């Protein structure tokens, strides 16, 4: 089967100051985010990879994005909302800009997370790393259980959550920095009874199409 994992589109416009958006910041997609969602659907349509299932996290940005992907690629089933795909609660960092966090926590705290996936101690992040890893394993196991040669599953979630899928799919020796996924970007893994082969990660929809055609 082919499993496609993607990050939702933009939640900030060009005039907005980006802030940390976690489970408690339920922001909608802006125009660019809607455009990115449609582009992901177009990528699936261009590859003739109509999903058998589409799963999404429960927040507005993932629910709406997944439904736009479904509309564009021709999926007519129900988008499955899965709480295990909900973005991390960034605690006291939620809703704050990088500058505000740097002032209180230091720039290294942000770098530790973005480049090494090390969460700050005492910032109130939840759930625990162990729970996030367990959620990723259980979702992968559940979508892989009913696999078939031509089956396609599409998952739309957030950057914090996707890091834990990358570790499972790329291996623990893979660079933590490579785990990051930009808004509106995609990855894919080929799953068989014997193996999981990562075909691409953090690819724009156009690059995703090229990677899967090669």
């Amino acid at each position: 089967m082919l499993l496609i994992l993607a990050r939702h589109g933009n939640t900030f416009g060009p005039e907005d100051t980006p802030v940390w958006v976690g489970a408690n910041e339920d922001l909608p997609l802006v125009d660019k985010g809607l455009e990115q969602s449609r582009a992901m659907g177009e990528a699936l349509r261009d590859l003739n990879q109509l999903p058998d299932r589409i799963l999404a996290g429960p927040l507005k940005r993932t629910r709406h994005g997944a439904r736009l992907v479904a509309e564009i690629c021709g999926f007519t089933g129900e988008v499955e909302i899965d709480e295990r795909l909900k973005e991390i609660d960034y605690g006291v960092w939620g809703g704050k800009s990088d500058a505000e966090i740097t002032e209180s926590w230091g720039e290294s705290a942000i770098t530790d997370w973005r480049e090494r996936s090390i969460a700050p101690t005492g910032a109130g992040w939840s759930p625990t790393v162990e729970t996030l890893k367990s959620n990723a394993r259980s979702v992968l196991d559940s979508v892989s259980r009913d696999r078939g040669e031509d089956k396609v599953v599409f998952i739309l979630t957030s950057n914090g959550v996707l890091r834990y899928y990358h570790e499972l799919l790329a291996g623990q020796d893979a660079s933590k920095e490579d785990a990051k996924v930009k808004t509106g970007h995609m990855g894919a893994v080929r799953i068989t009874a014997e193996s999981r082969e990562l075909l691409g990660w953090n690819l724009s929809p156009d690059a995703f199409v090229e990677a899967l055609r090669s």
Side-chain angles (χ1 to χ4, degrees):
M1 65 172 288
L2 180 67
L3 174 62
I4 301 165
L5 300 109
R7 181 183 176 187
H8 63 78
N10 285 8
T11 53
F12 298 106
E15 305 302 320
D16 297 328
T17 299
V19 298
W20 284 64
V21 179
N24 290 325
E25 291 75 41
D26 196 6
L27 303 184
L29 297 170
V30 295
D31 288 345
K32 177 65 175 179
L34 300 174
E35 178 185 321
Q36 290 169 309
S37 303
R38 296 186 185 100
M40 289 189 281
E42 290 166 1
L44 299 183
R45 186 184 62 198
D46 291 348
L47 288 166
N48 197 28
Q49 295 290 352
L50 177 65
D52 296 280
R53 296 174 65 187
I54 294 181
L55 291 78
L59 300 175
K60 293 175 185 175
R61 52 192 181 269
T62 44
R63 284 190 287 110
H64 191 187
R67 286 167 183 153
L68 278 174
V69 170
E71 177 184 331
I72 297 298
C73 75
F75 176 80
T76 57
E78 288 291 327
V79 173
E80 302 171 44
I81 304 303
D82 195 321
E83 288 290 333
R84 294 171 297 180
L85 298 170
K86 189 175 186 178
E87 178 61 307
I88 297 168
D89 178 347
Y90 290 120
V92 297
W93 287 28
K96 291 186 171 59
S97 66
D98 280 4
E100 291 173 310
I101 293 168
T102 297
E103 184 177 348
S104 300
W105 293 79
E107 189 174 349
S108 62
I110 296 177
T111 301
D112 279 344
W113 171 245
R114 287 187 172 150
E115 308 299 336
R116 292 178 281 277
S117 297
I118 300 173
T121 301
W125 287 26
S126 67
T128 65
V129 170
E130 290 74 18
T131 297
L132 290 163
K133 289 183 177 181
S134 176
N135 286 345
R137 284 193 298 270
S138 66
V139 170
L140 286 178
D141 288 345
S142 66
V143 299
S144 303
R145 194 172 297 121
D146 183 27
R147 62 178 173 271
E149 184 176 349
D150 298 322
K151 188 161 188 175
V152 179
V153 176
F154 180 86
I155 291 176
L156 186 64
T157 182
S158 304
N159 185 43
V161 170
L162 282 169
R163 291 169 179 268
Y164 297 96
Y165 287 86
H166 183 265
E167 180 177 309
L168 289 172
L169 299 170
Q172 293 186 352
D173 294 334
S175 170
K176 298 292 187 183
E177 186 173 354
D178 292 341
K180 295 183 294 185
V181 178
K182 297 178 182 177
T183 54
H185 279 48
M186 312 166 73
V189 58
R190 181 76 64 186
I191 300 175
T192 69
E194 295 79 25
S195 66
R196 291 171 176 171
E197 178 191 3
L198 189 62
L199 305 176
W201 194 256
N202 191 28
L203 301 174
S204 69
D206 286 345
F208 182 81
V209 171
E210 291 182 12
L212 265 67
R213 280 180 174 164
S214 63

